[in-house]
Amino acid sequence: MTDPASGNFGDRLERAIREKQSVAAVGIDPTLDLLPPGLAARGASGPEDLASALREFCLGLVRAVADLVPAVKPNIAFFEAFGLPGLSVYRATCRAAAEAGLLVIGDVKRGDIGSTAAAYAAGLLDCPRLPRRSPEEAEPPPGEALLGPHDALTLNPWLGSDSVGPFLARGCGRGQGFFILVKTSNPSSSEIQNLRLAEGGTVAERTAGLVRGWGENFRGAGGLSAVGAVVGATHPAELNRFRELLPDAPFLVPGYGAQGGTAAGVVPAFRPEGGGTVISASRSVLRAWRGENRPDDWPGAARRAVLAMNAEIAAALKAAGRRGWR
Amino acid sequence: MTDPASGNFGDRLERAIREKQSVAAVGIDPTLDLLPPGLAARGASGPEDLASALREFCLGLVRAVADLVPAVKPNIAFFEAFGLPGLSVYRATCRAAAEAGLLVIGDVKRGDIGSTAAAYAAGLLDCPRLPRRSPEEAEPPPGEALLGPHDALTLNPWLGSDSVGPFLARGCGRGQGFFILVKTSNPSSSEIQNLRLAEGGTVAERTAGLVRGWGENFRGAGGLSAVGAVVGATHPAELNRFRELLPDAPFLVPGYGAQGGTAAGVVPAFRPEGGGTVISASRSVLRAWRGENRPDDWPGAARRAVLAMNAEIAAALKAAGRRGWR
């Protein structure tokens, strides 16, 4: 199923982690209160200036962390909050990240019936990774208007196989991957995900079984599948359990930092041989300029926050006698 | 919690059903193969012409059914599939429907952690219902760029209360409503939703209990809540069970027609006293011109499909000795 030109997403993720010697994925989730004062002031004069300030913030973050992390994870909600101009900034952010050599994980959490899932997949997976940009080109290339490019997406499993299948069919063969929401980082995630089943185990554990099945035909040369799981950093004991249930799935672990996830807590997400996971942090990186009280050097502050996060995770892995990457 | 200017969504829905003497909600889900030949030919000449053809199709559908139905339900996936120009058509479709006096149910199926849900809610609920359009107005009014306007949204319950709360807090007090995906219409919906729990009942039934709790503080004068449920027309026996569990919730019942739902099958969705539900059909209405082999009169064909659907449901209700609306 693998297109040799692009490779399996599991292999691409492992390679990116090894090249960067880092497992951090920066969540690019811009809100007005995260904008440093200079940009916030510029953005206050009207909708177009606001979009331009958001764009500068997001693209500046991408440049600041590009050599330090394997991936970025923009959450489309924070762009949709600013309407169509915000979604245009989302697209610009994905492009800038792809051009900087980063994997782009679109945090879109889509889930719908099969025919609708196919429409979402077309809109979110077909944007070309590096569109041609020659000035003679009058007509934009196909897919130029689409959201992305995306190397991976997050998906919601509530509707079952029908809702995931069209994404896998369209993307896995050309190097794209998927992280299914198995156990989310938020407090009320237990309300449905942790319900105990009559057959034993929990709803989330049964969902992990579905994810394992979905990923079986999409393993890369290194063994890691293109179909992975989201498991929150805020549940270390469950991380351990889900790694047992999903030995070959890439993990996307959100909730580090602002939501309370710790370096020691994310150690169980790693495969025994190292790698296989990215740990994402959003607010703790984007608002790092506040903690340092250096609003003018917000890119430097973001960079230092990522370096600190990497160092914390490396130290926690070492303390646990575990490897971060191969 | 109710803003008297707009009223509770449950009351607004009942009023719209009564005024139109109809419970059909037309799902506006445009795909290339649903475009009648004239529009398809125009759309083939480039991305801008395609967006213009889609716009004409969607706005023509709204005009065709405006006096026959209480609501339309555009699914944003089918617009996102055409990128930013497609999302601009989504916005135009919502506006045209609102200006025609229809309730707009945005089928967006969002679900994310609390802080992200708040961002989605801002983007999807704050678009003004009737933006000012005077030509002197240089600056667009606040919210002009946002997606909508929406009178209701569909939401995914997988992440629990955190993910739904920000929507209810923002929208219910000003007349907006929400349909939570309790039991979806697709074949694989049983994989997670029908799992049996150790405590008895199914995951979907437990989810119905959550929906009941979420809606308790948002009941209108007529008793119907602003917080409802999506229950597929493809599961008549379950519809009956969910109506018992959720006596005061508005139901949105998709899957009628193309997905196999029948008029007799949707009878259990109605409240014993009548009303409380809308039945949605998408493909069977949008492609009605094909069945009639009258591609030039696609608006008329859509209109006749809606009239037929209304008549079928009214006959099934009568046969069951039930009332459709008060």
Side-chain angles (χ1 to χ4, degrees):
Chain A
M1 291 299 293
T2 304
D3 173 357
S6 47
N8 178 283
F9 178 74
D11 292 335
R12 296 179 65 209
L13 182 67
E14 291 287 40
R15 193 164 56 237
I17 291 171
R18 208 165 44 232
E19 281 173 8
K20 299 291 179 64
Q21 297 285 301
S22 165
V23 294
V26 175
I28 302 191
D29 302 347
T31 57
L32 287 182
D33 68 309
L34 290 174
L35 284 184
L39 288 178
R42 258 185 42 204
S45 32
E48 277 183 33
D49 297 309
L50 176 58
S52 140
L54 284 172
R55 185 183 300 254
E56 189 170 326
F57 186 52
C58 294
L59 269 51
L61 286 165
V62 167
R63 278 193 302 273
V65 303
D67 64 325
L68 302 180
V69 298
V72 289
K73 182 184 77 65
N75 187 318
I76 200 167
F78 295 95
F79 300 87
E80 193 175 287
F82 299 102
L84 290 178
L87 289 168
S88 174
V89 176
Y90 178 83
R91 199 172 53 167
T93 303
C94 292
R95 273 187 199 187
E99 286 173 9
L102 293 163
L103 295 175
V104 181
I105 304 171
D107 198 355
V108 299
K109 296 187 174 67
R110 298 296 190 251
D112 210 312
I113 68 169
S115 51
T116 310
Y120 272 130
L124 295 167
L125 297 177
D126 287 4
C127 180
R129 190 169 161 85
L130 291 173
R132 288 169 301 153
R133 290 187 179 228
S134 76
E136 312 86 78
E137 196 167 43
E139 205 53 37
E144 181 80 4
L146 299 179
L147 294 167
H150 294 119
D151 297 290
L153 298 174
T154 57
L155 299 178
N156 185 309
W158 181 241
L159 282 78
S161 304
D162 298 348
S163 65
V164 170
F167 286 94
L168 308 192
R170 199 173 193 103
C172 286
R174 55 189 190 197
Q176 291 167 310
F178 302 93
F179 294 97
I180 316 296
L181 305 180
V182 169
K183 173 62 187 174
T184 54
S185 56
N186 60 315
S188 71
S189 64
S190 57
E191 289 175 1
I192 294 178
Q193 297 162 22
N194 286 35
L195 290 172
R196 297 210 67 81
L197 297 177
E199 66 187 39
T202 66
V203 173
E205 287 168 359
R206 174 68 169 255
T207 304
L210 291 172
V211 170
R212 188 169 179 160
W214 294 333
E216 249 162 23
N217 293 325
F218 299 112
R219 267 197 287 260
L224 202 67
S225 175
V227 184
V230 171
V231 186
T234 45
H235 319 289
E238 292 177 83
L239 260 179
N240 197 40
R241 174 77 180 130
F242 290 114
R243 181 44 86 194
E244 285 170 13
L245 292 171
L246 290 165
D248 299 327
F251 276 19
L252 168 61
V253 181
Y256 191 91
Q259 288 184 60
T262 65
V266 300
V267 166
F270 289 80
R271 297 172 92 196
E273 63 269 43
T277 194
V278 281
I279 314 295
S280 84
S282 306
R283 280 168 280 175
S284 55
V285 175
L286 272 55
R287 72 184 178 200
W289 58 267
R290 272 202 220 145
E292 294 188 359
N293 199 20
R294 289 174 66 178
D296 289 344
D297 188 25
W298 55 270
R303 199 174 157 79
R304 286 183 288 278
V306 170
L307 285 168
M309 177 182 166
N310 269 336
E312 283 160 21
I313 295 171
L317 284 162
K318 197 175 171 194
R322 300 279 295 269
R323 305 179 62 169
W325 39 81
R326 286 180 280 187
Chain B
M1 294 298 296
T2 303
D3 172 358
S6 48
N8 179 282
F9 178 74
D11 292 335
R12 297 179 65 208
L13 183 67
E14 291 287 39
R15 192 163 58 235
I17 291 171
R18 208 166 42 233
E19 281 173 10
K20 300 290 179 64
Q21 297 285 300
S22 164
V23 294
V26 174
I28 302 191
D29 302 346
T31 57
L32 288 182
D33 68 308
L34 291 173
L35 285 184
L39 287 178
R42 258 186 42 202
S45 34
E48 277 183 34
D49 297 309
L50 176 57
S52 139
L54 284 173
R55 184 183 302 253
E56 188 169 327
F57 186 52
C58 294
L59 268 52
L61 287 165
V62 166
R63 277 192 303 272
V65 302
D67 64 324
L68 301 180
V69 298
V72 289
K73 181 184 77 65
N75 186 318
I76 199 167
F78 295 94
F79 300 87
E80 194 175 286
F82 298 102
L84 291 178
L87 290 169
S88 175
V89 176
Y90 178 83
R91 199 172 53 167
T93 303
C94 292
R95 274 186 198 186
E99 286 172 9
L102 293 163
L103 295 175
V104 181
I105 303 171
D107 197 354
V108 298
K109 297 188 173 67
R110 298 295 191 250
D112 210 313
I113 67 169
S115 50
T116 310
Y120 272 130
L124 295 166
L125 297 177
D126 286 5
C127 180
R129 192 169 160 86
L130 291 174
R132 290 168 300 155
R133 289 185 181 232
S134 76
E136 313 86 77
E137 194 167 45
E139 205 54 36
E144 180 79 3
L146 298 180
L147 294 166
H150 294 118
D151 297 290
L153 297 174
T154 57
L155 299 178
N156 184 309
W158 181 240
L159 281 78
S161 304
D162 300 347
S163 65
V164 170
F167 287 94
L168 308 192
R170 199 172 194 106
C172 286
R174 54 188 190 199
Q176 291 167 311
F178 301 93
F179 294 97
I180 316 296
L181 305 181
V182 168
K183 173 63 187 174
T184 55
S185 56
N186 60 315
S188 70
S189 64
S190 57
E191 290 175 359
I192 294 179
Q193 297 162 22
N194 286 34
L195 291 172
R196 297 210 69 79
L197 297 178
E199 66 187 39
T202 67
V203 173
E205 287 168 359
R206 175 67 171 256
T207 304
L210 291 172
V211 170
R212 187 168 180 162
W214 295 333
E216 248 160 25
N217 293 324
F218 300 112
R219 268 196 286 259
L224 201 67
S225 176
V227 183
V230 171
V231 185
T234 45
H235 320 289
E238 293 177 83
L239 259 179
N240 197 40
R241 173 77 181 129
F242 289 113
R243 181 45 85 196
E244 284 170 13
L245 291 171
L246 289 165
D248 300 327
F251 276 17
L252 168 61
V253 181
Y256 191 91
Q259 289 184 58
T262 65
V266 302
V267 166
F270 289 80
R271 297 172 93 195
E273 63 270 42
T277 194
V278 281
I279 314 295
S280 84
S282 307
R283 280 168 279 174
S284 55
V285 175
L286 272 55
R287 71 184 179 202
W289 58 267
R290 273 203 218 142
E292 294 188 1
N293 199 20
R294 287 174 66 178
D296 289 342
D297 188 25
W298 53 270
R303 200 173 157 80
R304 287 183 287 277
V306 169
L307 285 168
M309 177 181 166
N310 269 336
E312 285 161 20
I313 294 171
L317 283 162
K318 196 174 173 195
R322 299 279 294 269
R323 305 178 61 170
W325 38 81
R326 285 180 281 186

